[in-house]
Amino acid sequence: MEPLFQEYMERGIATYLRGDSGFSSPKLYKTCEMNGCSYAICLKQNSSLVALASDKDEDLYKATKEEQISYAVTYGEFLYQAGSWEYPRRVVFKIEKPYGQLIHRYTFIVTNMDMDPYQIIRFYCGRGKMENFIKEGKSEFDFAAVSSHSKVVNANRMRLHMLAYNFTGHWRTSSN
C-alpha cells in the first residue's frame, strides 16, 4: 500500500482508509500515519475498551432508566494503547441502546482523523455502503474480470465497466 500512498501524496490527493477489525494492525496504522493517510478502523470489543468508555455507558444507562424502550446513543473518545502499539492512539466510540432492548452495543474505532466522534463513526459506517456497491459491480458488471496481462488494457476495461455502472445507476435513480 505504501507505493499507492506515495503516488497519491505526490499528486496532492488526500487518502482515507476505513476497515473492519480484520484490518486492525499497528503496522497498518503506522503506514497510514507515515504516508498522510487518514484512517478509521474498527477495533474488536474488549474489557479494557469497555472500561475506558464506562462513564458514557453509565450516563446512557441513567438517561434511559425511566424509558427503557426507546433507542438511545452516546459518543465519546479516549487515548488508548494496546499492548502491541508503540504509543497511544485516539479511539472514538459509540454506545447504543437498541430499541426495545436493555443491553448496550459498543463500536470502537481507532483513528488519526480530526473530527467529532459521531462524524468518524458515520464515516466508518459508510464502508458497508461501499461494500454493497463493490459487490454489485463485481456480480452485475464483471469488475473482477481481467482480459490481458497489460495494466493499461485492464484499466481501460475497468473504466468502461464503471461507465456502464454509473449510467445504470443514474437511470435507476432518475426514474424515481
Side-chain angles (χ1 to χ4, degrees):
M1 288 180 65
E2 208 161 333
L4 183 64
F5 288 149
Q6 289 295 324
E7 183 178 331
Y8 284 150
M9 275 180 53
E10 289 169 10
R11 293 181 181 191
I13 299 171
T15 53
Y16 298 88
L17 185 136
R18 56 184 162 206
D20 63 20
S21 60
F23 289 94
S24 181
S25 86
K27 186 176 179 182
L28 179 59
Y29 309 149
K30 195 167 195 167
T31 300
C32 288
E33 292 161 358
M34 290 173 33
N35 291 286
C37 177
S38 299
Y39 62 86
I41 301 172
C42 192
L43 295 172
K44 289 184 180 174
Q45 179 179 320
N46 64 48
S47 58
S48 298
L49 295 171
V50 171
L52 288 166
S54 64
D55 291 350
K56 289 283 191 174
D57 189 44
E58 184 64 28
D59 292 345
L60 186 63
Y61 172 76
K62 288 177 184 174
T64 60
K65 191 175 183 179
E66 300 298 319
E67 217 281 80
Q68 297 261 330
I69 294 178
S70 297
Y71 174 84
V73 64
T74 188
Y75 300 90
E77 66 182 278
F78 50 78
L79 286 177
Y80 175 69
Q81 183 174 356
S84 60
W85 300 0
E86 292 179 26
Y87 48 86
R89 290 185 170 88
R90 181 180 184 212
V91 173
V92 299
F93 63 89
K94 173 173 85 168
I95 306 173
E96 307 178 79
K97 189 203 79 59
Y99 175 81
Q101 295 185 23
L102 299 176
I103 60 164
H104 294 171
R105 284 193 299 197
Y106 301 84
T107 303
F108 296 99
I109 308 289
V110 62
T111 186
N112 65 347
M113 298 169 77
D114 187 26
M115 296 189 296
D116 290 333
Y118 77 92
Q119 292 172 312
I120 292 169
I121 298 286
R122 201 167 78 208
F123 168 77
Y124 169 77
C125 289
R127 81 176 228 307
K129 188 176 185 179
M130 289 307 302
E131 286 178 4
N132 288 337
F133 289 148
I134 292 166
K135 186 175 11 174
E136 182 181 49
K138 286 171 73 175
S139 64
E140 295 180 28
F141 292 89
D142 205 19
F143 282 3
V146 290
S147 59
S148 173
H149 293 291
S150 167
K151 185 177 177 181
V152 173
V153 170
N154 291 327
N156 286 326
R157 179 184 176 131
M158 175 63 106
R159 286 185 183 106
L160 287 172
H161 285 244
M162 290 299 298
L163 187 61
Y165 178 81
N166 287 330
F167 277 140
T168 304
H170 174 72
W171 289 324
R172 186 176 24 202
T173 58
S174 64
S175 64
N176 292 338

